[in-house]
Amino acid sequence: MADIAQQDGAPAVGAGFAETLDRLRRSSEYVLIPLFALVVAGLLFSIFLFALGQSPAMFFSLLWKGGFGTGFSWQNTLVRAAPLILTALCVAIPARLGLVIIGGEGALVLGGFAAAVASIPLVHAAAPAFVVLPVMCLSAIAVGGLWIGLVGVLRHYRGINETIASLLMSYIAIAIMNFFVEGALRDPANPNKPSTQAIGDANMIGEVPGLGVHWGLPVGIVVAILLWVLMNRTTFGFAARVTGGNVRAARAQGLPVGRLIVISCAIAGACAGLAGFFEVAAIQGKANASLAAGYGFTGILVAFLARQNPIAIVPVAIFLGGIAAAGGLIQRRMGMPDATVQVLQGLMFVVLLVSETLYGRIPFFRAKGDKR
């Protein structure tokens, strides 16, 4: 009897293994196609370097060395990756509902500005850091969430395109910060660069022991994991995916589409606002024009490369953080502008958008019996 049971179970086990392999084959396009896009972008950029009389081999060698080749390079890379994780989440979460939000830069700037402003009366009152930092953090999260949440309100209740609205609101957010930083809230102690009052060394966030990186990186990783759970293992995430797949079907099922849109946008803005808090509390120590460093726009590329997967955002953010970190080394060794790496990132983004047409069209990745 045992032999018979073993013989009956063997085909089932084999079928299950074959089904798993088939599922992996079909899902591998979400990894292989972005990798193919990166290779194509690298080849196109190599042609660009040849046209300038530069060596692609030297460029990519310095890119590796400046981003990942030494311990210092890794520290610089991880510091840049921390805000990229959070700004990419600002794009990825609304994307589950079919929304294209590209205003993370504005939410980061306004969140960082709000954190700096919230610290001013507390610093004057000599409040301890365990009071100042939570107030700053909550202020940044609230302002960032309200800012992008407003984009969701405009999208659902007024029918305004969320991509255009979020982009325009980014420039408005930067203008608001500049207005106050250069005016009523300008610190006289900073005559050369308009800034708010410094939060003070006692209120600066320290580094993760042994890493040389501020706490924004582990916090960003934890937030990414939590949002993956929210969007993949909860009824809220299921409702968001249904809404993103077909809004009419979602409404027919009685799902609160408007509330889902606004909440998702608010969560996205809160992530970018949190990135602004860490830029002020761990890097700048004050709010000024340095907050608008382009992390919000690079986060768009991170989210697209990661296919809006919160977990995949983490390694992609580290990868692009390394590219950005290598800009200075390339400038010194090759005499090329620091913005050269931004040209590479731009090519990557364009090729990635073009590669979107490949999904579902390559026979190897199709399900068995699919004759498309």
Side-chain angles (χ1 to χ4, degrees):
M1 295 294 292
D3 293 339
I4 295 175
Q6 185 176 3
Q7 292 174 2
D8 291 341
V13 173
F17 181 70
E19 183 179 350
T20 300
L21 288 178
D22 184 64
R23 189 183 306 113
L24 289 174
R25 176 183 58 80
R26 286 184 281 114
S27 60
S28 63
E29 69 174 341
Y30 298 109
V31 175
L32 296 179
I33 290 179
L35 288 177
F36 172 74
L38 291 178
V39 171
V40 172
L43 292 174
L44 292 176
F45 190 75
S46 296
I47 296 173
F48 171 73
L49 291 175
F50 274 126
L52 295 178
Q54 299 287 352
S55 168
M58 183 177 181
F59 177 88
F60 288 109
S61 175
L62 292 174
L63 190 68
W64 171 259
K65 184 177 180 181
F68 310 100
T70 66
F72 176 78
S73 299
W74 268 104
Q75 288 182 0
N76 196 9
T77 293
L78 294 177
V79 166
R80 293 171 183 267
L84 289 180
I85 293 172
L86 293 168
T87 55
L89 290 172
C90 184
V91 179
I93 300 306
R96 293 298 184 93
L97 288 89
L99 304 176
V100 182
I101 301 292
I102 60 174
E105 182 81 358
L108 183 153
V109 169
L110 213 56
F113 173 67
V117 171
S119 72
I120 294 175
L122 298 175
V123 170
H124 281 299
F130 67 81
V131 173
V132 176
L133 289 175
V135 171
M136 291 176 61
C137 183
L138 292 175
S139 299
I141 290 174
V143 171
L146 288 173
W147 194 250
I148 302 299
L150 179 59
V151 175
V153 171
L154 293 173
R155 174 66 178 85
H156 179 69
Y157 294 101
R158 303 300 300 171
I160 298 175
N161 182 277
E162 74 282 356
T163 306
I164 296 175
S166 60
L167 178 61
L168 293 179
M169 287 180 65
S170 285
Y171 294 107
I172 294 173
I174 296 171
I176 290 173
M177 182 200 67
N178 288 333
F179 175 81
F180 285 104
V181 166
E182 296 176 6
L185 296 177
R186 180 171 182 172
D187 183 10
N190 292 284
N192 297 324
K193 187 171 186 177
S195 304
T196 60
Q197 178 181 321
I199 66 174
D201 293 339
N203 297 313
M204 293 291 290
I205 295 177
E207 297 178 345
V208 180
L211 285 181
V213 180
H214 64 76
W215 284 94
L217 178 67
V219 170
I221 294 173
V222 170
V223 171
I225 294 172
L226 292 176
L227 289 179
W228 182 89
V229 173
L230 175 67
M231 302 306 293
N232 293 277
R233 293 293 185 267
T234 66
T235 55
F236 176 87
F238 176 75
R241 295 197 303 274
V242 171
T243 302
N246 192 315
V247 175
R248 290 184 178 180
R251 288 198 176 100
Q253 294 296 322
L255 295 178
V257 173
R259 190 164 63 206
L260 289 169
I261 290 175
V262 174
I263 292 176
S264 296
C265 288
I267 292 173
C271 291
L274 183 60
F277 161 72
F278 281 110
E279 285 298 295
V280 170
I283 304 294
Q284 308 291 342
K286 62 192 76 172
N288 52 39
S290 296
L291 284 176
Y295 287 123
F297 297 115
T298 306
I300 301 170
L301 176 57
V302 173
F304 272 76
L305 268 175
R307 298 291 299 171
Q308 289 81 42
N309 185 324
I311 299 296
I313 279 174
V314 175
V316 173
I318 294 173
F319 170 67
L320 288 177
I323 291 178
L329 181 62
I330 291 171
Q331 183 180 31
R332 293 191 300 271
R333 296 288 183 85
M334 300 184 68
M336 300 179 68
D338 187 30
T340 304
V341 294
Q342 296 179 4
V343 176
L344 174 59
Q345 290 179 358
L347 271 175
M348 290 165 56
F349 188 62
V350 172
V351 176
L352 186 67
L353 290 178
V354 174
S355 71
E356 290 286 318
T357 60
L358 298 177
Y359 288 98
R361 294 175 179 268
I362 302 176
F364 175 78
F365 299 123
R366 294 177 189 167
K368 293 181 178 180
D370 191 345
K371 301 298 184 181
R372 290 181 299 171

